Amino acid sequence: GESVGLHLPTLSVQEGDNSIINCAYSNSASDYFIWYKQESGKGPQFIIDIRSNMDKRQGQRVTVLLNKTVKHLSLQIAATQPGDSAVYFCAENGREYGNKLVFGAGTILRVKS
Amino acid sequence: EAGVAQSPRYKIIEKRQSVAFWCNPISGHATLYWYQQILGQGPKLLIQFQNNGVVDDSQLPKDRFSAERLKGVDSTLKIQPAKLEDSAVYLCASSSRTSLGYNEQFFGPGTRLTVL
């Protein structure tokens, strides 16, 4: 069925360290994946995306890795800052979904100063 | 560019009462979405509009939820009557168009509904 899950519900890191947030997806037909950041009281905000024909994509301080063999997605945040504290969601999309996103449950990232 | 606007930001009602949420998407965005986000979970799509037509409402509880987008711009989501399990944040999102590929969705701040 449609489901996107996360391995770790809460991640605490020290400011300046790198963070890795993981996500497992179950639909092998999904071909587009997105990471969203949601701060308290706000809607999800797009961070980075990746298509299934890629295995790595880099942005500013963030990198997304896709392993289709094991249906695993990860978000790496370099030099984590207090402003990175939020809930992070991975979401998947496939041609059969149209423009519908299927979200996972989320991981809470806490950055300690 | 102004973002997606939603109101009210917070609403507290008793069960069996009615409630309505309003959304104004980003100007020019043809596609509008309503999501329900229960505490501790990711958003779940309730309904998707393309202009003023419904594209997907497969997960909308139609016995109590309704939504409209009469002029293809603003949208209203209504719950009548509300149940305790409807307590959630209701998010509105919009995107520029729907095509073969994915188009980025921009989310509003949401309306937090508490049903007592």
Side-chain angles (χ1 to χ4, degrees):
Chain A
E2 302 174 350
S3 67
V4 177
L6 296 173
H7 294 309
L8 301 174
T10 304
L11 177 66
S12 293
V13 299
Q14 197 68 37
E15 180 180 359
D17 289 350
N18 297 333
S19 302
I20 299 176
I21 301 172
N22 296 302
C23 173
Y25 64 95
S26 61
N27 193 336
S28 57
S30 292
D31 57 9
Y32 185 73
F33 305 87
I34 307 165
W35 280 102
Y36 278 92
K37 172 186 180 183
Q38 187 173 25
E39 296 175 277
S40 181
K42 297 183 179 180
Q45 179 184 10
F46 174 94
I47 301 173
I48 192 168
D49 59 359
I50 189 167
R51 293 200 175 274
S52 60
N53 61 352
M54 304 171 68
D55 53 20
K56 180 179 180 178
R57 189 164 188 221
Q58 288 185 296
Q60 188 175 15
R61 280 203 308 120
V62 294
T63 301
V64 56
L65 300 177
L66 175 63
N67 185 330
K68 294 181 289 295
T69 302
V70 295
K71 291 185 284 187
H72 183 267
L73 194 67
S74 68
L75 176 70
Q76 300 178 359
I77 304 174
T80 312
Q81 303 169 359
D84 295 327
S85 293
V87 180
Y88 289 79
F89 295 96
C90 65
E92 62 181 315
N93 177 266
R95 189 166 296 177
E96 69 272 23
Y97 299 152
N99 211 30
K100 175 180 174 180
L101 290 176
V102 177
F103 284 82
T107 293
I108 299 171
L109 177 64
R110 292 198 176 103
V111 182
K112 298 174 286 186
S113 299
Chain B
E1 177 181 79
V4 176
Q6 290 188 247
S7 68
R9 292 297 313 277
Y10 305 92
K11 190 73 176 179
I12 300 174
I13 62 172
E14 294 186 349
K15 59 183 179 184
R16 292 187 288 274
Q17 286 187 323
S18 301
V19 65
F21 312 127
W22 173 83
C23 173
N24 181 240
I26 292 173
S27 178
H29 279 193
T31 310
L32 184 147
Y33 315 79
W34 282 103
Y35 288 85
Q36 180 192 58
Q37 185 176 23
I38 293 173
L39 184 64
Q41 299 181 16
K44 183 186 79 171
L45 180 70
L46 292 175
I47 189 167
Q48 176 183 341
F49 291 94
Q50 179 75 9
N51 296 309
N52 60 353
V54 175
V55 173
D56 183 346
D57 63 356
S58 58
Q59 298 190 89
L60 186 74
K62 299 179 184 65
D63 59 333
R64 297 184 299 106
F65 286 64
S66 64
E68 59 183 14
R69 194 184 184 201
L70 295 176
K71 296 182 179 179
V73 181
D74 294 4
S75 177
T76 303
L77 176 70
K78 297 180 181 178
I79 307 175
Q80 180 180 10
K83 293 185 176 181
L84 297 177
E85 58 262 36
D86 298 332
S87 294
V89 174
Y90 290 85
L91 294 163
C92 179
S94 69
S95 64
S96 58
R97 61 185 174 89
T98 300
S99 65
L100 290 177
Y102 174 81
N103 296 289
E104 183 180 346
Q105 296 183 26
F106 295 85
F107 286 82
T111 296
R112 181 176 296 277
L113 174 67
T114 301
V115 182
L116 303 176

